[in-house]
Amino acid sequence: MSDRVADRVKGLKGSGIREFFDIAQQMEGAISLGVGEPDFVTPWSIREACIFSLEKGYTSYTSNWGLLELREMISDKVYTDDSVYYDPEGEILITTGVSEAFDLAVRAIANPGDEVIIHEPSYVSYKPCTLFTGGSPVCVDTGVGDEFKLRAEKLEQKITDKTKAIILSYPNNPTGAALSRKDVEEIADVVTEHDLLVISDEVYGKLTYDGKHTCFSSLNGMKDRTILLNGFSKAYAMTGWRLGYAAGNKDIIEAMMKIHQYIMLCAPITAQMAAMEALRTNDEMEQMVSEYNRRRRLMVEGLREIGLSCFEPKGAFYTFPSIENTGLTSEEFAKRLLLEEKVVVIPGSVFGASGEGFIRCSYAVSQYEIKEALKRMGRFLEGHRVV
Amino acid sequence: MKEEVKEKEKEEILRILEENARLSDNEIAKMVDMDEGGVKSIISELENSGIIRKYKALINHEKAGIETVQAVIDVKVSPERNTGYDSIAERISRFPEVKSVRLISGEYDLSVLIQGKTMHEVAYFVAEKIAPLEGVRNTVTHFLLKTYKENGEMYEEEEKGERLAVTL
Ligand SMILES: Cc1ncc(COP(=O)(O)O)c(C=O)c1O
């Protein structure tokens, strides 16, 4: 048995960056802007509801679909916030995070050889998950000139007769870009014209700072073509609970449920109980959003003051400044910054080739940490500016 | 329209200061997307009009090793003909030992927080200064044993799970 590991896995790009992450994780006194989750602890009312459910003995499996009451609440919430209605019975599936929901979605729709269009820079899971299904990821670059938006013309250029679906991931990790209503309508036209499906990851939808997020499936004709993915991780500071959901066309959701029942059985009941409490009140979420917004401004202005050109992010909790004027690659920049000034940032290249020349700095950290990190980065840049 | 915008910014600045009064005008300006001059003028306006009363530190005296004794005194009073509860409440408020005075509903009328160095000092103060006041009919003294939360802040830092330094 010489080859214990399957080719499918060996084929995945090894991450040379791992070792950098290990250093970052262990360094004393480091400030990490590499975080991808809220620094808030889950609001107490949510934690308390979960404790109560444990006391009452809710420790069993649930329906494969997830608790009906939770699906009903999600249906109401999506209808109230985004004006699109999903039937709690058959059109909504509760999953262990958007992560699982994404995996189910591609597996449910992609045949080997089907092309799935992914805009980059983007979240790191889309490509490998698509590859696992035997589908072919097709990347389309977005650039700072387009405010990191997926433009309809650029999308159209990548469409072939093998294209099955596109991934839409806005507000975007790592760029913080968000799409306006007009932007998404233009994409919707292309989707209709070429008869495509859309997997829309809207996990940062509630974290939008300029104007309101447009849910893609709420657009005319898009509900039937869209698998809407959302969850509790970011908006409710519930990353560790592992809870999300998919909503969409009955046949597709049913197909996703079939996979889910064999690989996951159901999402954890404690997390489902907590999620119901999360949906009952918005106050704390809104306070967290206001606080992110203050930090966003503090960080964007601060980055500009120390000499980095920085695109103004409209959502999520990331800034994506350009480090091109240092002459360093984004990986070199991140490594040296860590070793010289103990600040962790993520090289943009991790999120796709078009992320080269940028770094991702998260503002899901305290105001104090933002200020201290900027001070250190300013000092670092003094030494590395190319003339 | 302009006034309305200013109202929104005023509120936002108050929220920011309530959380952390030591931020510089420049930092606040960035957060609310205004210029520094604008922030300065809003803050002076808030100070001059008495909306911002004072900037203070919230101190955990026990941790600092400073011995203090606090007590909540429930006070039952006979309201006066013209001034109701106000004049007696104001008289009580003037003592520096008195940290807060509130009119409350229920069996008692005023809730008074007193701070002193020793239990004896506090008890003595109640007996000598509050109880004999004209209009005070009855008092009950509750000594505070431990503070868990004050002004929206937990006294002990909540223990928090470590986040990963890197998540993509
Ligand atoms: C764009 C995006 N989608 C999905 C996820 C994972 O979400 P969940 O915790 O719901 O699995 C993340 C986490 O960083 C993300 O950034």
Side-chain angles (χ1 to χ4, degrees):
Chain A
M1 210 169 36
S2 55
D3 265 349
R4 296 188 171 202
V5 174
D7 297 340
R8 186 170 57 245
V9 185
K10 279 195 293 189
L12 282 185
K13 211 171 64 185
S15 35
I17 195 85
R18 262 289 135 215
E19 130 204 20
F20 161 75
F21 293 160
D22 291 343
I23 304 174
Q25 191 63 49
Q26 276 152 29
M27 189 178 280
E28 284 280 326
I31 294 187
S32 181
L33 305 181
V35 289
E37 58 183 325
D39 62 326
F40 300 106
V41 177
T42 308
W44 173 247
S45 65
I46 299 174
R47 286 185 277 159
E48 205 272 338
C50 168
I51 294 167
F52 186 61
S53 79
L54 285 171
E55 282 173 351
K56 297 243 286 185
Y58 286 101
T59 58
S60 61
Y61 293 132
T62 69
S63 144
N64 298 132
W65 297 93
L67 296 166
L68 179 60
E69 193 185 344
L70 173 59
R71 282 179 278 138
E72 285 168 349
M73 290 176 80
I74 289 171
S75 170
D76 283 349
K77 174 86 180 151
V78 175
Y79 184 72
T80 319
D81 290 1
D82 302 304
S83 315
V84 48
Y85 175 75
Y86 288 100
D87 186 347
E89 298 196 54
E91 293 185 334
I92 296 175
L93 174 69
I94 309 295
T95 60
T96 45
V98 170
S99 302
E100 191 215 355
F102 180 78
D103 179 41
L104 298 175
V106 250
R107 284 209 256 177
I109 62 175
N111 281 313
D114 281 350
E115 290 177 357
V116 176
I117 297 179
I118 302 171
H119 57 88
E120 284 186 336
S122 239
Y123 183 50
V124 293
S125 290
Y126 306 138
K127 229 194 224 164
C129 283
T130 306
L131 284 169
F132 286 142
T133 68
S136 310
V138 174
C139 296
V140 45
D141 292 340
T142 62
V144 70
D146 277 330
E147 302 174 313
F148 296 108
K149 293 174 174 186
L150 172 61
R151 294 289 179 198
E153 319 83 78
K154 277 206 166 171
L155 167 63
E156 203 147 23
Q157 286 165 14
K158 297 285 178 171
I159 295 173
T160 71
D161 51 10
K162 292 210 197 85
T163 309
K164 180 80 183 248
I166 64 171
I167 315 291
L168 262 193
S169 188
Y170 290 97
N172 181 262
N173 171 8
T175 62
L179 301 180
S180 69
R181 182 154 194 108
K182 183 165 164 287
D183 299 325
V184 277
E185 278 169 354
E186 285 171 11
I187 292 170
D189 288 342
V190 177
V191 166
T192 310
E193 191 183 324
H194 296 273
D195 191 21
L196 303 176
L197 294 172
V198 176
I199 301 178
S200 187
D201 178 349
E202 302 185 18
V203 74
Y204 293 104
K206 297 285 176 238
L207 309 186
T208 303
Y209 311 104
D210 261 343
K212 191 182 169 291
H213 170 71
T214 306
C215 175
F216 193 76
S217 57
S218 70
L219 299 177
N220 213 352
M222 286 303 111
K223 185 192 159 189
D224 192 52
R225 294 182 175 278
T226 305
I227 309 173
L228 167 64
L229 309 183
N230 212 331
F232 295 82
S233 288
K234 315 288 172 170
Y236 298 95
M238 292 179 70
T239 46
W241 298 78
R242 313 305 308 123
L243 201 73
Y245 59 89
N249 165 288
K250 267 196 160 64
D251 297 334
I252 295 177
I253 296 295
E254 165 94 33
M256 289 170 65
M257 195 281 286
K258 277 191 193 161
I259 308 170
H260 172 77
Q261 72 181 349
Y262 294 124
I263 61 157
M264 196 62 67
L265 211 164
C266 69
I269 189 169
T270 37
Q272 294 190 55
M273 288 289 179
M276 289 197 279
E277 178 60 25
L279 290 172
R280 282 188 195 111
T281 138
N282 276 337
D283 292 2
E284 283 198 63
M285 190 233 288
E286 281 160 12
Q287 280 170 27
M288 290 192 274
V289 174
S290 312
E291 178 58 22
Y292 289 136
N293 194 15
R294 290 174 202 132
R295 297 171 182 181
R296 172 180 76 116
R297 295 197 169 116
L298 202 57
M299 187 177 261
V300 171
E301 292 303 317
L303 287 166
R304 288 176 183 162
E305 273 173 13
I306 60 173
L308 295 179
S309 111
C310 184
F311 155 78
E312 177 155 337
K314 306 282 167 123
F317 36 55
Y318 308 107
T319 56
F320 205 58
S322 162
I323 46 104
E324 244 167 2
N325 63 0
T326 62
L328 300 171
T329 67
S330 51
E331 204 170 316
E332 281 166 358
F333 184 98
K335 277 191 180 145
R336 291 208 203 164
L337 179 64
L338 177 63
L339 296 176
E340 292 172 30
E341 291 290 349
K342 297 191 174 183
V343 176
V344 184
V345 298
I346 310 288
S349 51
V350 169
F351 305 94
S354 52
E356 182 51 71
F358 298 86
I359 51 170
R360 190 192 77 178
C361 307
S362 169
Y363 52 88
V365 298
S366 69
Q367 291 176 11
Y368 168 78
E369 287 171 301
I370 292 174
K371 287 186 266 180
E372 177 61 26
L374 286 168
K375 200 157 46 171
R376 296 184 191 184
M377 287 170 78
R379 206 157 51 199
F380 176 82
L381 285 167
E382 294 280 298
H384 290 271
R385 188 119 24 186
V386 283
V387 270
Chain B
M1 181 59 204
K2 194 108 193 274
E3 274 305 305
E4 221 172 89
V5 171
K6 219 175 140 195
E7 275 309 306
K8 226 183 86 200
E9 271 146 4
K10 244 194 213 164
E11 269 178 42
E12 175 69 355
I13 289 173
L14 285 174
R15 265 194 295 270
I16 290 171
L17 287 174
E18 217 172 2
E19 187 57 39
N20 181 1
R22 297 197 64 184
L23 291 168
S24 69
D25 292 343
N26 179 277
E27 286 161 352
I28 295 173
K30 284 176 192 159
M31 284 189 234
V32 297
D33 204 12
M34 281 178 80
D35 59 51
E36 202 174 325
V39 169
K40 262 195 178 41
S41 86
I42 288 185
I43 292 181
S44 347
E45 204 181 302
L46 289 166
E47 288 169 354
N48 294 336
S49 61
I51 292 177
I52 293 178
R53 299 284 303 118
K54 209 171 198 175
Y55 302 97
K56 295 168 99 172
L58 187 67
I59 292 169
N60 184 337
H61 286 99
E62 194 183 320
K63 210 168 199 168
I66 303 168
E67 284 282 337
T68 59
V69 174
Q70 291 188 328
V72 175
I73 323 294
D74 294 337
V75 185
K76 199 176 221 155
V77 300
S78 325
E80 286 170 37
R81 179 178 287 270
N82 290 320
T83 51
Y85 295 101
D86 292 353
S87 61
I88 181 92
E90 271 161 32
R91 285 185 72 176
I92 294 176
S93 300
R94 289 184 199 283
F95 293 106
E97 291 87 344
V98 171
K99 295 294 159 192
S100 67
V101 178
R102 296 180 172 93
L103 182 65
I104 53 172
S105 66
E107 208 175 322
Y108 285 78
D109 304 305
L110 297 175
S111 171
V112 177
L113 182 73
I114 296 186
Q115 185 171 316
K117 288 201 192 64
T118 62
M119 227 150 125
H120 178 76
E121 189 181 300
V122 171
Y124 191 75
F125 177 79
V126 175
E128 291 288 302
K129 307 286 181 188
I130 306 280
L133 282 176
E134 204 182 318
V136 169
R137 287 162 52 201
N138 193 8
T139 64
V140 180
T141 302
H142 311 272
F143 282 102
L144 300 192
L145 304 181
K146 182 169 178 180
T147 302
Y148 294 92
K149 190 176 182 179
E150 178 96 5
N151 278 343
E153 301 294 329
M154 300 294 284
Y155 257 41
E156 292 297 328
E157 201 62 54
E158 189 177 21
E159 195 181 319
K160 208 160 124 174
E162 277 275 318
R163 259 191 312 178
L164 294 171
V166 172
T167 0
L168 297 178

